[in-house]
């Protein structure tokens, strides 16, 4: 009897200079950690820059994505009091993540070069300090961000259309943190989304793709 292989979603668990280790996106409810998978992919170069951000789970508010196409009215000279024509003058996308009970590891990963960690001998975060990052280039340091939806059984949905990739995004160091509270702590991360000039549709740079593996670019 022939059986088709089960579709499994994976995430990047760890990266060093030469290898990428993949893991399962489903969190073990008993340990609170991601079960590891025995899969390692060589990067083929020690000089390739990698940056991984695991932002953890979101609250019930989830993800808010705003897409705003700018429209500029224009009146042509010499035509009298004619109605203005409207032309697209650009687009802007922003993202807001309501992160539930974000730990120190996720916070350091999210706020690049602003939340700085000190590590103990075991490699665990011992302390976090917040600093200014004047002159920080948001677009140059932007990373891709994958969003996974949960299915009815509480695990990651296996429907590829429930996955979205924001190709280039970066987060501001701007949030309100509540300490010593009895209720759930939520940190709202605000991010900028940039067009990816390396991936284009009909000559236009792409901001976001749903089911990115099936997307066909120029």
């Amino acid at each position: 009897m022939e059986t088709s292989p089960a579709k499994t979603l994976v995430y990047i668990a760890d990266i060093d200079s030469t290898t990428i280790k993949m893991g399962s996106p489903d969190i073990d409810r008993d340990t609170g950690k991601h079960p590891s998978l025995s899969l390692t992919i060589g990067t083929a170069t020690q000089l390739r820059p990698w940056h991984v951000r695991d932002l953890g789970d979101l609250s019930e508010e989830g993800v808010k994505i705003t897409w705003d196409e700018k429209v500029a009215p224009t009146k042509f000279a010499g035509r009298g009091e004619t109605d203005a024509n409207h032309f697209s003058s650009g687009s802007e996308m922003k993202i807001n993540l309501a992160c539930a009970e974000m730990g120190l590891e996720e916070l350091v990963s999210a706020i690049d070069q602003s939340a700085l960690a000190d590590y103990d001998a075991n490699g665990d975060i011992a302390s976090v300090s917040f600093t200014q990052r004047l002159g920080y280039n948001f677009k140059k340091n932007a990373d891709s961000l994958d969003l996974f939806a949960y299915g009815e059984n509480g695990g990651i949905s296996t429907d590829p259309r429930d996955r979205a990739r924001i190709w280039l995004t970066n987060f501001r160091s701007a949030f309100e943190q509540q300490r010593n509270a009895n209720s759930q702590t939520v940190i709202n991360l605000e991010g900028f989304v940039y067009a990816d000039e390396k991936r284009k549709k009909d000559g236009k740079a792409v901001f976001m793709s749903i089911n990115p593996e099936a997307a066909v670019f120029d």
Side-chain angles (χ1 to χ4, degrees):
M1 180 178 65
E2 294 183 0
T3 58
S4 58
K7 294 181 179 179
T8 303
L9 294 175
V10 296
Y11 80 110
I12 300 175
D14 182 45
I15 295 177
D16 58 28
S17 60
T18 57
T19 60
I20 305 173
K21 298 178 181 178
M22 310 298 288
S24 169
D26 289 303
I27 296 178
D28 189 305
R29 300 300 177 183
D30 295 329
T31 64
K33 297 182 179 180
H34 299 277
S36 60
L37 299 177
S38 57
L39 176 64
T40 301
I41 303 174
T43 61
T45 174
Q46 297 184 8
L47 301 178
R48 183 171 183 175
W50 290 98
H51 187 196
V52 181
R53 300 184 184 186
D54 182 0
L55 304 184
D57 295 332
L58 301 178
S59 72
E60 294 180 355
E61 298 178 32
V63 182
K64 179 181 179 182
I65 300 173
T66 58
W67 172 259
D68 183 15
E69 186 174 34
K70 306 296 182 181
V71 177
T74 303
K75 285 189 175 182
F76 293 101
R79 296 189 180 181
E81 295 298 324
T82 57
D83 293 334
N85 291 289
H86 291 78
F87 297 90
S88 173
S89 59
S91 300
E92 181 182 65
M93 180 181 283
K94 293 182 180 179
I95 183 174
N96 187 291
L97 304 180
C99 299
E101 297 184 341
M102 175 175 276
L104 295 180
E105 289 79 5
E106 290 83 9
L107 189 60
V108 169
S109 177
I111 310 298
D112 181 39
Q113 300 182 30
S114 181
L116 304 180
D118 297 302
Y119 297 89
D120 59 21
N122 296 323
D124 298 322
I125 292 180
S127 173
V128 174
S129 301
F130 294 88
T131 67
Q132 295 185 76
R133 49 180 181 182
L134 297 177
Y136 177 76
N137 189 328
F138 280 85
K139 185 174 183 180
K140 181 180 179 180
N141 292 283
D143 297 316
S144 64
L145 176 67
D146 280 47
L147 304 173
F148 297 92
Y150 284 95
E152 296 180 356
N153 60 355
I156 298 292
S157 172
T158 58
D159 188 341
R161 293 173 298 181
D162 285 341
R163 180 184 176 188
R165 176 172 298 168
I166 298 175
W167 291 101
L168 290 175
T169 186
N170 209 338
F171 294 99
R172 298 174 57 216
S173 180
F175 55 85
E176 293 183 7
Q177 189 177 22
Q178 187 174 345
R179 308 290 294 180
N180 300 333
N182 294 327
S183 60
Q184 184 184 53
T185 301
V186 175
I187 291 180
N188 291 301
L189 292 177
E190 299 178 355
F192 304 99
V193 180
Y194 304 99
D196 187 355
E197 297 293 338
K198 296 180 181 179
R199 294 172 177 83
K200 294 185 177 182
K201 283 277 191 180
D202 298 331
K204 304 176 185 66
V206 173
F207 286 81
M208 181 180 74
S209 299
I210 296 175
N211 188 11
E213 278 70 25
V216 179
F217 301 106
D218 296 347

